Amino acid sequence: MTEARQPRDQVPPAYPEYHPGSARPELNRPVHERYPQIRPTSGYGDPRVRHTGPGPGAGTEQEPERSSKLTARLVLAMTVVVGQLWGLTVVINMWMEGKTGAAWWGAGFLCLSFLVVLGLWALDPKDR
């Protein structure tokens, strides 16, 4: 029943503090010894890698006509949405003032502008 116990006042040694160019040889091992999972063929040294980076023409617009069409459609849709929010404010103010006839006309305007947005969405189904 003899167990090898450490006294409570002894704490296991902590990891050594690393300083670049340390005098302790175990801290200055080569990378392949410290990290064996990194091989010389990892990354740019891999012969299977023929091209690095995205290639020529990356980041430039490939279809400027499509981009301008989508931007114009987006600007138009955002204008309609802002108009709808403004119209909703006007309609609510009219309704609260008791002008229900004018409020119904305003609600019709909001429905019409919503149909305009749906029409813009349905214009070109391949751009969705």
Side-chain angles (χ1 to χ4, degrees), residues 3-48:
E3 283 185 44
R5 289 190 180 185
Q6 290 182 347
R8 290 188 178 200
D9 57 342
Q10 285 186 355
V11 179
Y15 291 109
E17 187 176 343
Y18 174 72
H19 299 287
S22 178
R24 299 178 64 179
E26 67 269 12
L27 298 179
N28 291 322
R29 294 177 298 161
V31 173
H32 67 275
E33 288 180 15
R34 285 183 284 159
Y35 304 103
Q37 69 272 20
I38 299 177
R39 295 180 183 84
T41 58
S42 298
Y44 67 90
D46 194 340
R48 295 172 295 179

Side-chain angles (χ1 to χ4, degrees), residues 34-92:
R34 285 183 284 159
Y35 304 103
Q37 69 272 20
I38 299 177
R39 295 180 183 84
T41 58
S42 298
Y44 67 90
D46 194 340
R48 295 172 295 179
V49 177
R50 299 191 191 285
H51 304 288
T52 60
T60 61
E61 184 56 54
Q62 302 297 322
E63 297 179 60
E65 296 84 15
R66 181 175 181 263
S67 176
S68 63
K69 183 171 56 171
L70 291 176
T71 302
R73 198 179 305 167
L74 179 67
V75 168
L76 189 57
M78 286 173 34
T79 304
V80 169
V81 168
V82 169
Q84 284 178 331
L85 291 173
W86 171 78
L88 184 61
T89 304
V90 170
V91 166
I92 289 175

